[in-house]
Amino acid sequence: MSVWKFANIEWDLEIQPRILGILNVTPDSFSDGGLFVEPQRALEHALRMEAQGADAIDVGAESTRPGACEITIAVEWQRLESVLKLLSASLKIPISLDTRKSEIARRGIATGVQIINDVSGGRFDAKMFDVVRQTKAGYILMHSRGTPDHMMEHCHYQNLFEEIKQELKNQVGLAQKQGVRPKQIVLDPGFGFAKNVEQNDDLLDNLEKVILESYPCAIGISRKRFLREKAGGEQEKLMKLGIAGCQKAYKKGVRLFRVHEVELTVKRLKGMDPGSSPG
């Protein structure tokens, strides 16, 4: 399936890939924590990514890096409310909200959010699917295990690709049982979530083995640990590795990308021939 339908929007992902610019309004994210917690700075960064060609802005207020602890609904919403109101009033492109809490999703959609990016794939909050069904929001259902504070204890697989694929199928089945329409759903294999460095490398090399043909596939590898270790602290090398990884994923059928480096990713991916070599 190449069409993603949400809210009153329809994206044909075979025509062109879609780029979601990452906006972290957290004090503690591993790559940009603290840079955009002030609402006006967050808005300026979002507008900059929109001007660079982002198709949506993906806003997150809770760090989900390995070892991160859960924050309360009150704290998460305090970080988001002013930012979402500014973005909703100013952006011409959709807003995606990175949250695993149904109450935050519900409030965000009421404030103008059109996409929910759930790193738990519906495992964390049993009410999430109901919110997605009722609001007809787009839903990025990601593979993960456990919760961020202890997810690296769950990166033991007998067959990495088969288990990721089956666990995604299980969550999709639960979502559809609760009325979420297939065309609302995009699947994400979850780089960095309950997967170690070697497993992330294997996953990127074998993405076609976890893609379900009936659903579009998204990834978020930008500045992830398995790339940072290869970059050895060189920021330009890290950026190039991220973009090269997106190009490789595109060749394997991925059509949605959450990235920090919007401008360069747009230049490299939009109009890219699926049969061309990643550079």
Side-chain angles (χ1 to χ4, degrees):
M1 182 185 295
S2 63
V3 175
W4 190 23
K5 294 181 71 173
F6 55 93
N8 294 316
I9 297 169
E10 182 172 315
W11 283 353
D12 187 338
L13 301 171
E14 282 306 312
I15 293 177
Q16 64 174 350
R18 298 288 180 163
I19 312 299
L20 280 61
I22 296 171
L23 176 62
N24 287 320
V25 294
T26 57
D28 55 344
S29 290
F30 58 81
S31 68
D32 54 3
L35 291 178
F36 305 114
V37 293
E38 199 278 315
Q40 190 60 39
R41 291 195 66 181
L43 173 63
E44 290 168 1
H45 188 52
L47 289 171
R48 186 160 49 246
M49 291 193 286
E50 182 182 50
Q52 291 171 345
D55 295 292
I57 302 299
D58 186 50
V59 187
E62 180 183 52
S63 175
T64 51
R65 73 187 192 288
C69 294
E70 179 186 351
I71 60 174
T72 64
I73 289 173
V75 170
E76 190 169 347
W77 186 245
Q78 182 183 39
R79 294 175 181 175
L80 284 168
E81 185 175 13
S82 296
V83 173
L84 291 180
K85 286 179 178 176
L86 281 173
L87 298 187
S88 182
S90 305
L91 292 175
K92 297 180 178 65
I93 56 177
I95 302 169
S96 167
L97 178 55
D98 180 350
T99 187
R100 49 195 173 134
K101 302 186 184 80
S102 65
E103 179 59 27
I104 294 294
R106 187 183 299 280
R107 294 182 191 183
I109 291 166
T111 312
V113 166
Q114 291 104 332
I115 300 167
I116 299 301
N117 173 20
D118 181 359
V119 301
S120 82
R123 293 179 304 102
F124 182 78
D125 186 335
K127 296 179 181 177
M128 180 63 90
F129 295 145
D130 197 39
V131 171
V132 173
R133 176 186 60 79
Q134 290 176 4
T135 61
K136 300 181 180 177
Y139 185 57
I140 301 176
L141 187 160
M142 202 185 82
H143 175 269
S144 61
R145 290 176 171 178
T147 51
D149 56 338
H150 63 86
M151 62 184 173
M152 299 314 292
E153 298 171 11
H154 299 276
C155 56
H156 304 290
Y157 300 83
Q158 295 294 318
N159 185 315
L160 177 68
F161 314 120
E162 285 301 317
E163 289 175 53
I164 291 173
K165 194 170 185 176
Q166 187 58 51
E167 289 167 25
L168 284 171
K169 282 183 181 177
N170 294 344
Q171 291 308 112
V172 166
L174 291 173
Q176 292 190 28
K177 277 185 180 177
Q178 294 192 38
V180 178
R181 296 176 305 162
K183 286 191 175 182
Q184 288 177 261
I185 299 173
V186 166
L187 300 182
D188 183 334
F191 283 90
F193 287 79
K195 298 158 192 84
N196 61 32
V197 170
E198 294 75 20
Q199 290 163 342
N200 284 307
D201 273 328
D202 286 346
L203 183 56
L204 185 58
D205 288 338
N206 295 277
L207 268 170
E208 69 279 6
K209 296 181 180 177
V210 301
I211 290 178
L212 277 67
E213 290 186 1
S214 301
Y215 300 90
C217 183
I219 63 165
I221 62 171
S222 185
R223 304 182 186 176
K224 288 289 174 74
R225 179 185 165 198
F226 77 108
L227 298 181
R228 297 203 307 275
E229 291 199 359
K230 290 181 181 176
E234 296 180 33
Q235 290 304 307
E236 186 173 350
K237 186 175 181 181
L238 176 61
M239 179 184 65
K240 289 180 177 177
L241 286 168
I243 293 172
C246 288
Q247 290 178 297
K248 179 184 285 188
Y250 179 77
K251 283 193 67 179
K252 293 176 179 290
V254 176
R255 291 294 181 266
L256 285 105
F257 301 86
R258 290 192 311 281
V259 302
H260 294 86
E261 289 81 15
V262 169
E263 187 170 22
L264 280 175
T265 308
V266 168
K267 286 180 180 176
R268 295 293 181 88
L269 286 186
K270 294 224 173 177
M272 182 177 171
D273 179 348
S276 64
S277 298

